[in-house]
Amino acid sequence: MARNGSFTFDGGAGTYFGTAFLGGLITFLTLGICYPFSLVLTERWRAKHSFIDGQPLIFTGTGLGLFGLWIKWFFLIVITLGIYGFWVAPRIAKWKWEHTSVSL
C-alpha cells in the first residue's frame, strides 16, 4: 500500500507539561464538570504541533460545544458507577475527529 502523505509532530515536553497541568487543574478544581474545556485546550495543543504533508492540523471544537453533551454523559457515568464511561470514550474520540481538519 502506498503512503499518501507524511505526518510530522514538533511538540515538546515543556509546552505539553504546561498544557496538561493546566487542563488537569481545570478538571480537578471543577470536579470534572469543566473537562470539555480541558480537552479543547489539549487538543488545540496537539493539533498546533501536528502536520500532514507540511500542512498544520486545526482543531475547531469549543468547550461550550461539548459542554452540554458532557453534562449528560457525566450524569450517566455517575449514576451507572462509571460503566457508561465505556460508551463515552468513543463518543469523545469521534467528537475530537469531527472537529479536526487540515489547514489548506
Side-chain angles (χ1 to χ4, degrees):
M1 182 181 286
R3 260 179 97 170
N4 292 333
S6 64
F7 298 86
T8 56
F9 182 78
D10 69 358
T15 58
Y16 176 75
F17 177 78
T19 303
F21 181 78
L22 181 59
L25 190 63
I26 290 168
T27 302
F28 177 75
L29 292 177
T30 62
L31 303 175
I33 300 295
C34 288
Y35 171 71
F37 299 97
S38 172
L39 177 81
V40 166
L41 185 68
T42 56
E43 284 303 310
R44 286 210 176 132
W45 178 87
R46 189 174 320 213
K48 179 181 176 183
H49 297 285
S50 301
F51 302 86
I52 299 176
D53 287 334
Q55 300 297 318
L57 293 182
I58 298 173
F59 184 73
T60 59
T62 64
L64 283 176
L66 181 59
F67 191 72
L69 291 170
W70 176 248
I71 292 299
K72 177 179 69 173
W73 294 339
F74 186 77
F75 175 73
L76 291 170
I77 289 170
V78 170
I79 66 170
T80 62
L81 304 176
I83 294 172
Y84 194 73
F86 291 108
W87 282 264
V88 172
R91 289 178 181 171
I92 289 175
K94 179 182 177 190
W95 185 85
K96 290 190 301 189
W97 279 108
E98 287 173 347
H99 292 88
T100 302
S101 60
V102 177
S103 174
L104 297 176

